[in-house]
Amino acid sequence: MIVLEWLFLPNVLCDAAEPWQLGSQDAATPMMQGIMDLHHDIFFFLILILVFVSRMLVRALWHFHYQTNPIPQRIVHGTTIEILRTIFPSIIPMFIAIPSFALLYSMDEVVVDPAITIKAIGHQWYRSYEYSDYNSSDEQSLTFDSYTIPEDDPELGQSRLLEVDNRVVVPAKTHLRIIVTPADVPHSWAVPSSGVKCDAVPGRSNQTSISVQREGVYYGQCSEIRGTNHASIVVEAVPRKDYGSRVSNQLIPQTSKGPTIALGPYLSKARAT
């Protein structure tokens, strides 16, 4: 009975690394879906090459074996075969390059007018985030710090060394711009389910765009291990109707000073996109 229940379980989306995982995490953005589709297309060509080369290798071992065939067949020399084995391998990279370039340029494209801009600042011992759209003055900013939960403190259901005390809350199905910068040494902001890996270089700000298509919690880690308790990144995508209340209840009380920030214009902009 247990086996039958396991076989007929609905597909559970993989948004974090799992033991003995072979494939990628499930796509949450069109960018990651394009990366996975390109991977599958290239893998198809690799299978064809593997079968063809394996067949040629087996035939060569058979025809040139000194016991089974003392007089080998002369099938490896000639102008025709030289032309064919030069042209066909050059055509295969062309089929791979066309969708690869299209995906590469789409990943580098940044949304001109995003609904929400989030600034991710890397520190050696933690991360801080700033919702820049809600700043009304230089003294008031909607910012919060995000620390990795220690290994001996996770609650039931939380992932070890992946969970943080303050998640990055974003609305689903909305164009987002992420500005990545470090406060000290090089860092990286990477979320595999979103297909995003943006390096944070001291002295400059890099940016990337994402559009999370479904609600969920997505885990990532810093690819530049430059300190302790700073590597975990957790992005929580919520419905647009719940985004305003989540930001108001969780993020605004953590601001250092200033009155309540009006979210109406930005929420209406998010709904429009």
Side-chain angles (χ1 to χ4, degrees), residues 138-152:
D138 295 337
E139 293 79 14
Q140 177 180 331
S141 61
L142 183 54
T143 62
F144 65 96
D145 297 330
S146 180
Y147 288 84
T148 302
I149 295 180
E151 185 176 357
D152 53 349

Side-chain angles (χ1 to χ4, degrees), residues 41-166:
D41 294 340
I42 296 177
F43 197 78
F44 171 76
F45 287 105
L46 292 179
I47 294 297
L48 294 181
I49 296 173
L50 176 63
V51 173
F52 180 73
V53 173
S54 299
R55 182 179 181 275
M56 292 183 60
L57 179 61
V58 172
R59 284 180 58 87
L61 293 175
W62 170 259
H63 288 289
F64 285 90
H65 197 274
Y66 70 96
Q67 291 181 349
T68 59
N69 198 357
I71 303 176
Q73 298 180 7
R74 297 183 178 180
I75 59 173
V76 295
H77 300 287
T79 305
T80 304
I81 194 171
E82 293 288 344
I83 295 176
L84 291 178
R85 72 182 187 183
T86 303
I87 293 179
F88 278 102
S90 63
I91 294 177
I92 294 176
M94 294 179 59
F95 282 99
I96 298 176
I98 294 175
S100 177
F101 286 148
L103 178 62
L104 182 62
Y105 282 109
S106 64
M107 293 175 62
D108 290 338
E109 184 178 359
V110 179
V111 178
V112 178
D113 190 18
I116 297 174
T117 300
I118 301 176
K119 187 175 183 180
I121 305 173
H123 302 267
Q124 286 185 295
W125 297 279
Y126 65 97
R127 289 183 177 272
S128 60
Y129 296 92
E130 176 181 332
Y131 285 65
S132 305
D133 294 324
Y134 308 139
N135 295 354
S136 58
S137 63
D138 295 337
E139 293 79 14
Q140 177 180 331
S141 61
L142 183 54
T143 62
F144 65 96
D145 297 330
S146 180
Y147 288 84
T148 302
I149 295 180
E151 185 176 357
D152 53 349
D153 288 343
E155 299 178 358
L156 182 63
Q158 292 182 343
S159 300
R160 170 181 170 270
L161 298 180
L162 289 178
E163 192 60 64
V164 297
D165 54 356
N166 291 318

Side-chain angles (χ1 to χ4, degrees), residues 30 40 70 72 78 88 102 105 116 122 162 179 183 198 209 228 233 241 253 260:
H40 297 335
F88 278 102
Y105 282 109
I116 297 174
L162 289 178
I179 299 177
C198 187
S209 299
T228 182
I233 302 169
K241 61 180 180 179
T260 301

